[in-house]
Amino acid sequence: MVAVDLLGQAEHGPTSPAALITTSEALARETLVEIEKQLLTLPTADVAGAAWRDYGTVLVVDSKEEAVREADRLAYEHVEVLTEDPDYFLGNMKNYGALFLGPETNVTYGDKAIGTNHTLPTKGAARYTDGLW
């Protein structure tokens, strides 16, 4: 699921960033393997593969506090949090365009089913501007 969601962001364009921030080195390694596997059959692999190669990031951190710091530093337009403690991230994250908490709220569901057109801050702009508008 993590690999699918990362590639779902990467396929938006060849310069689209996607990042995994995790406290699990095993999850990081498994996700990298799964991304390569999915790129073999993904219809948008040419774009998603280029974006992942040039703008994909995997960060293994020591704590959820460090995960929040790194996510706020990146300030991505879409942030999906898969954790046992989603309320911690809701209460502590500041720099994002749209925040999706839990596996049933992935970006594809939320972004495509939200029902309205929207503009989200890109290229780190969430550090100094509001999110969904």
Side-chain angles (χ1 to χ4, degrees), residues 28-39:
R29 290 183 189 284
E30 291 167 12
T31 300
L32 289 171
V33 169
E34 185 63 24
I35 285 172
E36 293 307 316
K37 187 170 142 183
Q38 290 183 25
L39 283 172

Side-chain angles (χ1 to χ4, degrees), residues 56-121:
T57 304
V58 175
L59 299 172
V60 178
V61 297
D62 292 325
S63 65
K64 62 185 177 185
E65 293 82 8
E66 186 179 3
V68 167
R69 283 194 303 274
E70 289 298 326
D72 277 344
R73 182 183 61 78
L74 293 173
Y76 281 169
E77 63 182 297
H78 297 100
V79 177
E80 180 176 336
V81 178
L82 304 172
T83 180
E84 294 174 347
D85 188 7
D87 288 337
Y88 177 83
F89 291 85
L90 178 62
N92 288 281
M93 286 193 62
K94 298 190 179 358
N95 302 336
Y96 55 85
L99 183 61
F100 302 86
L101 298 170
E104 282 79 35
T105 62
N106 66 48
V107 174
T108 302
Y109 288 158
D111 210 24
K112 306 303 183 220
I114 203 165
T116 59
N117 288 332
H118 59 276
T119 302
L120 295 172

